[in-house]
Amino acid sequence: RQQFGGTLGGPIVKDRLFFFFDYEGRRDAQGISYNRTVPLPHFRNGSLAYVNAGCPSNSRLNTRPECITILTPQQVAAIDPLHIGPNQALVSLVNQRYPLPNDLTGGDGINTGGFRFNAPSLRADNTYTGRVDWNISNAQRLFVRANKISAVQTDTVNSVAAQFPGDPETAQIITGDYAVAVGHNWTATPNFVNSATVGITKSVLGFPNLFHPSSPQSYGFTGLSAPFADFRTQARDVPVWTYRDDVNWTRGSHGISFGASLKTVNQRTNL
């Protein structure tokens, strides 16, 4: 992880106009561990294995190979009611998409095994904050404040960093939040002060899918990990406008404070 940033500020017009700016950055890189279920070599070639009668049901090729019988593609075709056997297009897809197993303790140990690997997960955050203060007069002050968050990270919450090694980044979480506010302070008399603020805070989130070669088709095989990750996407933004006014009124030894605040919330979602 790397974190960095800087701050800059000072007067623009002496005793009248001032500015402030701050930047913070963050960069993360890590590996995410995955364990997939993939076909064993004989299954990739169209053969099919089963546990022999009289053997324990938990028999595996790596523990009780004598309890496992492997049918050739020709034998599979012979017991197929249509005598077709393995679908060659499907066998081709399996061989192109699935890697060979590297963990024989995974899968069912009969036709499938495990495949362990690490996939890269990245994160890049940028946060910007700025403010300008203007002393209009001895009785009036105005400020403008803005904040922007621009962040992109590998989506391992709704998706995966990669379904298999060699795949590009599958999905991302993109944040584009921002907030802007304008405030005015008016000292009408030494005993009467009014503060008014208007601003918007907007939450912006996107979950784009970057790797979807099978779209719009979605494939899944019983007993195997899916050949491709889910490619559904979503996005939403929630703008919130805030209007506020506060009054402080002093009469003798008594102080009276009152005000009003109004917020409008609108959420837009794209699934």
Side-chain angles (χ1 to χ4, degrees), residues 131 133 136 139-145 180-188 192-199 242-248 258-262:
R131 178 175 174 128
D133 289 277
I136 303 172
Q140 296 188 68
R141 297 193 305 273
L142 181 75
F143 76 84
V144 178
R145 181 181 65 244
V180 179
V182 178
H184 179 263
N185 186 276
W186 175 38
T187 305
F192 189 93
V193 179
N194 185 84
S195 299
T197 306
V198 60
T242 301
Y243 309 88
R244 179 168 180 166
D245 191 86
D246 295 293
V247 173
N248 290 290
F258 58 92
S261 179
L262 172 66

Side-chain angles (χ1 to χ4, degrees), residues 42-48 72-74 76-78 80 82-96 219 221:
H42 67 269
F43 194 47
R44 298 166 64 93
N45 296 328
S47 295
L48 187 66
T72 66
Q74 294 74 25
V76 173
D80 180 359
L82 298 178
H83 300 290
I84 296 175
N87 183 290
Q88 292 306 309
L90 182 58
V91 170
S92 177
L93 172 64
V94 167
N95 280 278
Q96 291 175 10
Y219 299 104
F221 304 123

Side-chain angles (χ1 to χ4, degrees), residues 1 36 40 99-100 129 192 197 212 219 231 241 248 250 266:
R1 173 183 295 181
R36 303 285 187 238
L40 291 172
L100 289 167
T129 302
F192 189 93
T197 306
H212 40 79
Y219 299 104
F231 51 76
W241 281 95
N248 290 290
T250 303
N266 296 285

Side-chain angles (χ1 to χ4, degrees), residues 22 69 83 123 237 244 259:
D22 178 77
T69 295
H83 300 290
R123 175 174 175 171
D237 62 85
R244 179 168 180 166

Side-chain angles (χ1 to χ4, degrees), residues 136-248:
I136 303 172
S137 66
N138 291 334
Q140 296 188 68
R141 297 193 305 273
L142 181 75
F143 76 84
V144 178
R145 181 181 65 244
N147 176 264
K148 170 69 175 176
I149 298 176
S150 178
V152 179
Q153 69 181 76
T154 304
D155 188 356
T156 58
V157 178
N158 307 290
S159 186
V160 295
Q163 188 69 0
F164 291 111
D167 289 352
E169 188 177 38
T170 301
Q172 293 179 333
I173 299 176
I174 298 179
T175 304
D177 298 352
Y178 68 84
V180 179
V182 178
H184 179 263
N185 186 276
W186 175 38
T187 305
T189 70
N191 300 325
F192 189 93
V193 179
N194 185 84
S195 299
T197 306
V198 60
I200 180 175
T201 300
K202 189 172 186 179
S203 174
V204 181
L205 278 174
F207 304 88
N209 183 276
L210 308 179
F211 183 61
H212 40 79
S214 67
S215 177
Q217 285 79 30
S218 179
Y219 299 104
F221 304 123
T222 301
L224 294 176
S225 296
F228 302 102
D230 189 0
F231 51 76
R232 286 175 291 183
T233 64
Q234 59 175 304
R236 60 179 175 267
D237 62 85
V238 185
V240 179
W241 281 95
T242 301
Y243 309 88
R244 179 168 180 166
D245 191 86
D246 295 293
V247 173
N248 290 290

